[in-house]
Every structure is written in C-alpha cells, then in structure tokens.
Amino acid sequence: QVQLVESGGGLVQAGGSLRLSCAASGTIFSINGMGWYRQAPGEQRELVATITNSGSTNYADSVKGRFTISRDNAKNTAYLQMNNLKPEDTGVYYCYANVRRRSWYASMDYWGKGTLVTVSS
C-alpha cells in the first residue's frame, strides 16, 4: 500500500505564509507526478499545482506568483510554499501522487486525507 500524509496547515492572517508537506510512504518503486488540490466549503475540488518527477511545474492562475511547488525525490516528499495568502485560499488541501508500486505494475493515483488551511481577513 501507499500512504500520503499532509502536514503544515493551520490558521494564518491574510498576507501570511504557510508551507505544506506531503510525504509518501509504503511500497514505492517510483513516483511520477505529485501535486496539490484544494476544496473550499461548498465548492468542488480544484487544482492548485503539480510537479513532474523531472521538476516541471504547473499552477492554477489564482496562485501563480504566490505559491511554489517543489519536491524531494529522495524523500518521496512534495512541498507547497504559500505566500501572500488570501481569504479565498481557505480550504482543505489534498496531496496526490501518481505512484508505481512495482516496476511491472501500472501506476496509480493516491491521495492524502487533506490538511486544513484557513486564512483570516
């Protein structure tokens, strides 16, 4: 099995910063893409940022210039540095990873349980 555990969420004032971490563990042969999604109350889950295993990144327009995604392949961990946070960034942030558990297995997406980010105005 593969587990993803997010950490780093919390309450912050508008303009502040938070750094989220997502650690993958379990039976892992390789990890392809990793990324972050978020879900605000009453809203659908939306893409925040993704990163490939070679470091190529993609961001939602709403977070470009404020958020930075990175990863440490040796630690199977992804990070999301969030600066200049706004109240509309509030939500549960979910990490995902596209993981190949064995060299002969097809890769699959795994999700964490989420970490809550609350930005007060």
Side-chain angles (χ1 to χ4, degrees):
Q1 274 292 7
V2 175
Q3 297 82 38
L4 299 182
V5 178
E6 302 103 332
S7 61
L11 174 64
V12 64
Q13 289 188 332
S17 298
L18 285 174
R19 188 190 193 213
L20 305 184
S21 297
C22 170
S25 62
T27 304
I28 297 172
F29 174 76
S30 64
I31 300 178
N32 302 314
M34 299 185 76
W36 295 90
Y37 281 69
R38 68 185 179 190
Q39 188 167 18
E43 301 290 334
Q44 290 189 333
R45 193 175 296 190
E46 63 175 1
L47 170 72
V48 176
T50 62
I51 185 168
T52 67
N53 56 7
S54 60
S56 296
T57 59
N58 180 55
Y59 297 93
D61 287 343
S62 59
V63 306
K64 283 181 180 177
R66 300 188 297 122
F67 291 10
T68 303
I69 188 171
S70 61
R71 63 190 282 177
D72 184 332
N73 291 332
K75 296 181 179 180
N76 291 333
T77 299
Y79 305 95
L80 186 67
Q81 177 66 44
M82 305 186 294
N83 298 329
N84 190 21
L85 282 160
K86 303 176 180 180
E88 51 263 42
D89 295 317
T90 294
V92 179
Y93 283 68
Y94 297 92
C95 172
Y96 90 91
N98 183 259
V99 178
R100 188 182 302 275
R101 294 177 58 204
R102 302 289 188 189
S103 60
W104 60 91
Y105 283 13
S107 61
M108 292 179 55
D109 285 344
Y110 292 87
W111 291 85
K113 295 182 178 180
T115 184
L116 178 62
V117 172
T118 303
V119 184
S120 63
S121 56

